[in-house]
Amino acid sequence: MVYIKNRGGILKSFAVVRGEDRTKVKIALHDLEHYGSMRFSSNPRRIEPTYADNLLVRVVGVPLRAPCKVAALVGLENNAGAAISKLRKIHPPAHIVIVSPRHAPYNELMDCVEIYPEFEMEPELEISA
């Protein structure tokens, strides 16, 4: 098995975060790190919602119930089993799919993760009129 090193860690799995809006995806990413004690191997990346939906169907193997509007991808230093176990203990406001090396899309994500733009984690500025 080949792991990539990034931001000081070794990538062991991916988390695909699908949500209704950018704020929910940001909160879910925060929850993964802080409440789920997951270690990101890189900064989260923005991916197309339709691609995230496709990944869900391919990994979980069930039909899509509802499409997402915003999606992010992040490499995890946690192995997939530990990530799934920790994910069950928290209740993020977005749907999260863990992609391990045993899933077909894993190598595809490994090949493409660096080309996706970073997911903007900074708070949105409110403009008053």
Side-chain angles (χ1 to χ4, degrees):
M1 186 177 318
V2 177
Y3 296 123
I4 62 168
K5 282 189 101 171
N6 207 350
R7 203 170 82 173
I10 297 176
L11 176 66
K12 294 184 180 177
S13 59
F14 287 100
V16 177
V17 183
R18 304 168 56 253
E20 295 175 10
D21 58 53
R22 190 168 156 262
T23 300
K24 288 183 179 183
V25 172
K26 283 177 17 181
I27 292 169
L29 288 164
H30 176 269
D31 288 356
L32 284 175
E33 273 191 306
H34 291 90
Y35 301 114
S37 302
M38 294 192 205
R39 295 174 315 278
F40 292 176
S41 63
S42 62
N43 292 328
R45 303 292 183 154
R46 182 173 41 86
I47 61 173
E48 289 298 317
T50 53
Y51 182 56
D53 292 342
N54 178 274
L55 287 170
L56 167 73
V57 171
R58 290 169 56 199
V59 170
V60 180
V62 296
L64 185 66
R65 278 197 244 166
C68 69
K69 295 181 181 161
V70 178
L73 171 71
V74 66
L76 302 174
E77 292 178 25
N78 308 76
N79 69 44
I84 291 167
S85 177
K86 290 178 180 188
L87 184 57
R88 287 184 176 143
K89 295 176 183 171
I90 63 174
H91 301 283
H95 187 225
I96 300 171
V97 178
I98 304 297
V99 181
S100 75
R102 70 181 184 93
H103 294 109
Y106 180 84
N107 289 330
E108 176 183 317
L109 293 173
M110 287 286 290
D111 291 342
C112 299
V113 67
E114 295 298 322
I115 64 170
Y116 297 123
E118 283 195 23
F119 186 84
E120 185 61 49
M121 292 294 289
E122 296 299 316
E124 297 172 31
L125 296 175
E126 290 188 25
I127 300 174
S128 302

